[in-house]
Amino acid sequence: MKNKLAQALALLATGLLAGVFYYGTFTIIPAFYEVPIEVHLKYRVALMNHNAVYVQLLTVIAILTPVWLAFVYKKSLMIRNYAILAAIAALISILTTRFGNVPINRMMRVWEAGKAPANWHEILDKWNMFNDIRTVFALASFLLVLIASQVSQPQTEA
């Protein structure tokens, strides 16, 4: 029972995280560039205010649930390895956010209150690069948990 619960929660958490970043990358970010920079920045700052706590909490859960999955399947080396790799991928996602996107987000808050610098587009390109990295790692985390959930187990471990 706890094995299936750990598996379901790891799939849910990593899937939600991957979905959040996937949606942002392929829907929200392109829309940013279709509006004037003033609107773009105002919306980004508002989005940051709404995302900050929830996405960080979701990412922490997406790290912890695969660790739990690895623990409950400790007799299965394959499941344990996929689950640990999933947790590491989610960790890389949040570290990329913290050390890549967040410093640029802080700059954007200042721009929104005043005027964007002449090279704002280059700076946002750098933000997009970090976003792509965290999106890939969030998707990898989900895929690794998905693979782990498909590994056959002997009946004695279920």
Side-chain angles (χ1 to χ4, degrees):
M1 173 72 172
K2 70 180 174 182
N3 294 20
K4 292 297 179 190
L5 181 61
Q7 184 181 63
L9 291 177
L11 280 167
L12 178 63
T14 58
L16 285 172
L17 183 66
V20 163
F21 287 131
Y22 179 88
Y23 183 77
T25 297
F26 294 104
T27 305
I28 294 174
I29 292 171
F32 284 156
Y33 293 98
E34 294 180 15
V35 297
I37 184 63
E38 298 79 22
V39 175
H40 177 143
L41 291 173
K42 186 174 281 304
Y43 184 70
R44 269 198 197 243
V45 169
L47 189 60
M48 285 180 235
N49 292 338
H50 289 277
N51 276 350
V53 173
Y54 300 110
V55 175
Q56 288 179 41
L57 180 60
L58 178 58
T59 307
V60 169
I61 294 168
I63 294 167
L64 295 177
T65 53
V67 170
W68 182 35
L69 181 64
F71 178 77
V72 299
Y73 280 101
K74 61 185 166 229
K75 293 181 182 175
S76 172
L77 181 63
M78 191 177 274
I79 291 175
R80 191 177 67 224
N81 287 344
Y82 280 121
I84 294 299
L85 287 172
I88 291 169
L91 178 64
I92 291 170
S93 182
I94 199 168
L95 290 174
T96 302
T97 301
R98 175 64 187 95
F99 296 107
N101 298 93
V102 169
I104 298 171
N105 289 348
R106 288 187 187 124
M107 282 191 271
M108 283 188 271
R109 289 181 188 278
V110 172
W111 302 347
E112 195 258 340
K115 185 170 172 71
N119 68 337
W120 68 269
H121 210 287
E122 292 169 18
I123 296 169
L124 292 184
D125 285 346
K126 187 175 179 182
W127 187 97
N128 289 334
M129 178 196 66
F130 289 123
N131 185 66
D132 290 346
I133 292 167
R134 69 184 183 175
T135 300
V136 166
F137 278 101
L139 287 168
S141 180
F142 174 61
L143 290 174
L144 288 161
V145 171
L146 189 60
I147 292 167
S149 72
Q150 298 303 307
V151 172
S152 296
Q153 285 297 294
Q155 291 300 321
T156 58
E157 286 191 40

